[in-house]
Amino acid sequence: MITDPVAFATDYLDASLRLSVPLAFAALGGLLSERSGVLNIGLEGMLLTGAFAAAVGAVFSGSVWLGVLAAAIAGSGLGFLHAYLCVNLFVNQLVSGLAINLTAAGLTAYGARILFDSGTVELPRLTAIALPGLSRLPVIGVLFDQNVLFYGLVGLIPALTYLLFHTHWGLSLRAVGEYPRAADTAGISVFQVRHLSVVFSGCLSGLGGAYLALAHVGFFTEGMSAGKGFIALAALIFGRWHPVYASLACLLFGVTEALQLRIQAFNLDIPYQFLAMLPYAVALLALIGLAGKSSPPAALGIPYQKENAR
Amino acid sequence: MLRRLSVQWQPLLLATVSPLLAVLAALLVGALLMGIAGANPVQAYAALFQESLLTYFGFGNTLTKMTPLLLAGLGVLVALRAGLFNLGGEGQIYLGGLGSLLVGLYLQGMPGWIHLPLTLLGGFALGGLWGAIAGYLKVARGLNEVLTTLLLNYVAQNLVGYLVNGPLIEPGAPSPYSPLVAETARLPKFLPQSQAHMGIFLGLALALLLLTIFSVTTLGYQVDAVGQNPIAARYAGIPVKRTLVGAMAVSGGLAGLAGSAEVIGLKYRLFENFAGGYGFDAIAIALLSRGSPLAVVLTAFFFGALRSGANVMQRSAGVPVTIVSAIQGLTLLFIAISLALEFKARAAPPSKSTQSTAAAPP
């Protein structure tokens, strides 16, 4: 039991961050996809596949980096599948995402049983890189003693915000999600923008899975994404499809989950199950509290077809 | 008021062929995966289907596994026809099981012909309540039912987990489970010594009832009208919001009955995590059935057979049981593709006014 308040705060902040990172990767991925007008319920399956690919890559190559690379590739692959189904074939976007989730759950469980004994495997971990000086600060020092994926995410948030709202590329992407017909008329390829966004969405979710497997828990096991993809979706809506707010929403859920883990450790006589449902209940309440204030991109979920493309 | 029954044969044919092709494609990919793992797919499938269809106990087990799939699948179908995606079957199954347990455990001392229906009603009511929450949040607060039903699954699962670990635990139980429900609250078995219970007939009867409602009644027409075009339905004077909440309530209620069947037909107790993914398989089943309650019966039977033969397959051919969930996911993937290809073949440009959530494949 930790009694030192500084040690407790440090530990608590560290845990909150670790729990938020996979969520934030998936939420930012989902954000890109949805800003371009393609729903992505498949984040859960993409996270899980990323974790699995990271495990396979790391175990068979012996290098965590190849694990991370494998996760990015596998996630992008699923992103491409989702994009192809939704954008080219006009498959209902919910059905496509759901199919990805169910297939990913089945295939990774099958693959894990074939490749690893009893479907679970211990993994090498991404090492933390302590930034000199900064990492010695009390409490907030943990912010500067993290692995590459964390630093990458921290850089990604402002970069994405800038790209989305201050560049031509971002304008195109948002136009495609809001009013594809106008974007098309202005010479933007709706297909191309949506494909790219959804593939990148899968890539980011895959990296979230890699973080989960290689940094957070250090093993792979069946179904280890455990609803994180859905929480990321809630965070995305709660964060109003904005990278900064969506990431803050992920942090809120991370803080909540870290809190429930702490309360359990303190034996406060609150039933474990109430704590376990806390992040989901908070996500629900956040959505209810927000109802009506948050409006999705106008063309979200609607397949785009050129008028002469019959 | 009754509607005239009209049968269009061409779409009916298409609707039969393409799901079969989707299932076939999924089984083929499954075979490929078994081959990669070094197993013999022919031997594995032979073992699986021989066990689940041709042996007495295996067949009884198929019917047992089929029962919750059928009930929950009908639930998803009702929502789909109203243009809603109910992804909360899993949570509604937990609540349904809980509802039936409470009635079966605490209301005692009455004859079975009163107690059993009340027990089922308890499951329907709590499952329906869980579905109606998502329906209400959709019409009153504009929250997408997909996300709310998914999040409610985790709340329901933990709620039941808490109850069987705490207030509802059997005193002195070695692992967390509730006491047994009264004899009068149990669904009778119908194949001696197998697990098959009368819940399957409840499912079949409800499939027929839904078929009737959707083909000949005004109520069924209203639900379809809301599902196809809520704006037009509103102008036609149909109470859209009430229909949406009602459809989610019935959808959740049917999934709740799937939970009831598990509790009062199979185990007679409430266990932690007893829903076992039935709620998610039910979504694939309803989509595969394309709006037809009778097709839900066939599809649920097929999925039930997959689950029932999986263990024997693992023992005799060395293929992990998890291949079955991969095959089910792939089935959904291929049905999605086949739906899209048909849609393209009909060359109809997608209507701009319909939201994707309303554009359920009927």
Side-chain angles (χ1 to χ4, degrees):
Chain A
M1 189 121 317
I2 303 161
T3 43
D4 173 14
V6 172
F8 176 81
T10 311
D11 177 59
Y12 183 56
L13 179 62
D14 193 33
S16 303
L17 292 176
R18 270 185 282 126
L19 290 161
S20 310
V21 172
L23 294 177
F25 269 112
L28 290 177
L31 184 144
L32 277 177
S33 169
E34 302 214 339
R35 276 280 183 178
S36 80
V38 180
L39 277 170
N40 198 347
I41 296 282
L43 293 178
E44 174 78 6
M46 294 173 180
L47 265 176
L48 185 58
T49 305
F52 177 68
V56 174
V59 165
F60 290 98
S61 74
S63 148
V64 273
W65 298 109
L66 288 177
V68 172
L69 184 69
I73 293 173
S76 305
L78 273 189
F80 178 75
L81 176 69
H82 188 55
Y84 188 76
L85 291 175
C86 297
V87 178
N88 296 61
L89 294 182
F90 310 130
V91 168
N92 181 301
Q93 299 176 2
L94 282 168
V95 177
S96 169
L98 193 61
I100 285 173
N101 287 342
L102 285 179
T103 311
L107 283 182
T108 54
Y110 179 70
R113 296 262 180 107
I114 298 287
L115 295 174
F116 313 128
D117 290 340
S118 73
T120 302
V121 66
E122 286 261 351
L123 300 172
R125 290 204 194 211
L126 282 169
T127 44
I129 303 165
L131 299 185
L134 290 171
S135 60
R136 312 282 282 279
L137 291 171
V139 186
I140 59 160
V142 293
L143 282 168
F144 306 101
D145 189 11
Q146 300 281 342
N147 63 51
V148 173
L149 282 177
F150 176 87
Y151 293 132
L153 177 73
V154 170
L156 191 65
I157 297 164
L160 265 185
T161 311
Y162 178 78
L163 285 170
L164 260 181
F165 299 106
H166 300 281
T167 66
H168 185 254
W169 175 78
L171 184 67
S172 308
L173 190 127
R174 284 181 296 130
V176 163
E178 291 290 343
Y179 197 8
R181 176 94 42 221
D184 193 10
T185 313
I188 298 165
S189 166
V190 175
F191 279 30
Q192 212 179 344
V193 168
R194 287 192 172 170
H195 262 278
L196 215 67
S197 307
V198 181
V199 169
F200 201 43
S201 167
C203 178
L204 287 180
S205 307
L207 288 176
Y211 185 93
L212 197 59
L214 297 175
H216 186 186
V217 291
F219 58 82
F220 176 85
T221 185
E222 290 169 27
M224 68 184 291
S225 55
K228 285 189 164 48
F230 303 131
I231 293 266
L233 274 174
L236 164 62
I237 298 171
F238 190 47
R240 302 181 197 185
W241 291 269
H242 189 290
V244 174
Y245 299 132
S247 305
L248 287 175
C250 291
L251 189 60
L252 170 71
F253 295 133
V255 166
T256 311
E257 207 177 341
L259 179 69
Q260 67 104 344
L261 295 171
R262 299 299 96 134
I263 298 177
Q264 277 182 48
F266 276 126
N267 266 329
L268 282 185
D269 214 27
I270 301 170
Y272 149 76
Q273 291 84 2
F274 283 113
L275 300 171
M277 77 166 75
L278 199 60
Y280 305 98
V282 167
L284 260 175
L285 292 175
L287 289 177
I288 294 170
L290 191 83
K293 285 186 209 142
S294 177
S295 57
L300 186 57
I302 306 169
Y304 178 68
Q305 191 170 35
K306 285 191 172 192
E307 259 153 11
N308 56 1
R310 283 214 225 159
Chain B
M1 207 174 83
L2 297 182
R3 282 191 292 149
R4 200 160 52 86
L5 250 177
S6 68
V7 180
Q8 291 171 297
W9 289 106
Q10 203 203 344
L12 201 66
L13 188 71
L14 207 61
T16 320
V17 173
S18 67
L20 284 178
L21 286 178
V23 166
L24 210 64
L27 288 175
L28 278 176
V29 178
L32 201 70
L33 289 168
M34 293 178 193
I36 291 171
N40 179 350
V42 178
Q43 192 197 342
Y45 281 135
L48 193 157
F49 287 111
Q50 195 166 18
E51 163 70 14
S52 60
L53 303 178
L54 300 177
T55 66
Y56 179 80
F57 292 108
F59 186 70
N61 196 14
T62 299
L63 294 183
T64 313
K65 306 267 188 217
M66 169 190 176
T67 303
L69 291 171
L70 171 58
L71 287 160
L74 290 173
V76 178
L77 175 126
V78 168
L80 267 184
R81 290 195 67 144
L84 296 163
F85 272 87
N86 178 6
L87 305 193
E90 197 80 354
Q92 291 144 12
I93 290 175
Y94 281 115
L95 267 280
L98 174 64
S100 279
L101 179 90
L102 293 176
V103 177
L105 196 58
Y106 292 116
L107 278 183
Q108 295 229 14
M110 61 188 101
W113 61 271
I114 305 175
H115 198 189
L116 185 57
L118 279 180
T119 308
L120 290 168
L121 195 68
F124 186 87
L126 271 199
L129 173 77
W130 215 240
I133 292 175
Y136 171 79
L137 288 175
K138 181 180 180 77
V139 301
R141 315 290 319 252
L143 286 182
N144 191 316
E145 78 282 3
V146 171
L147 199 51
T148 49
T149 49
L150 279 171
L151 292 172
L152 282 168
N153 284 339
Y154 295 95
V155 178
Q157 184 178 9
N158 282 303
L159 186 66
V160 165
Y162 160 68
L163 290 172
V164 296
N165 276 287
L168 286 178
I169 196 170
E170 164 99 288
S175 67
Y177 53 71
S178 78
L180 292 164
V181 294
E183 300 268 355
T184 46
R186 297 179 189 179
L187 285 163
K189 303 271 187 215
F190 78 96
L191 289 178
Q193 283 161 11
S194 90
Q195 292 193 315
H197 56 80
M198 301 296 262
I200 186 69
F201 296 108
L202 176 70
L204 292 174
L206 285 169
L208 277 178
L209 179 68
L210 284 179
L211 180 74
T212 315
I213 289 175
F214 280 115
S215 31
V216 298
T217 69
T218 315
L219 177 67
Y221 174 75
Q222 275 194 10
V223 172
D224 281 341
V226 170
Q228 271 149 31
N229 191 338
I231 298 162
R234 187 156 53 88
Y235 283 118
I238 295 170
V240 173
K241 288 188 174 183
R242 217 187 312 155
T243 309
L244 288 175
V245 179
M248 277 305 277
V250 172
S251 176
L254 289 168
L257 285 179
S260 305
E262 287 293 282
V263 170
I264 63 171
L266 192 59
K267 307 275 196 201
Y268 308 135
R269 310 176 183 275
L270 193 61
F271 282 83
E272 212 172 355
N273 302 331
F274 75 96
Y278 285 124
F280 287 103
D281 289 355
I283 300 162
I285 287 169
L287 288 169
L288 204 57
S289 307
R290 324 210 16 197
S292 155
L294 292 186
V296 174
V297 176
L298 293 176
T299 316
F301 179 72
F302 172 69
F303 275 49
L306 281 181
R307 277 179 176 248
S308 154
N311 283 321
V312 169
M313 177 192 68
Q314 174 158 357
R315 262 178 275 132
S316 70
V319 177
V321 287
T322 44
I323 189 74
V324 164
S325 27
I327 290 173
Q328 287 167 345
L330 288 165
T331 308
L332 183 61
L333 201 62
F334 287 119
I335 192 66
I337 295 171
S338 78
L339 280 170
L341 293 179
E342 272 171 49
F343 178 77
K344 273 210 152 174
R346 269 184 269 124
S351 152
K352 286 200 70 183
S353 60
T354 33
Q355 288 288 326
S356 78
T357 47

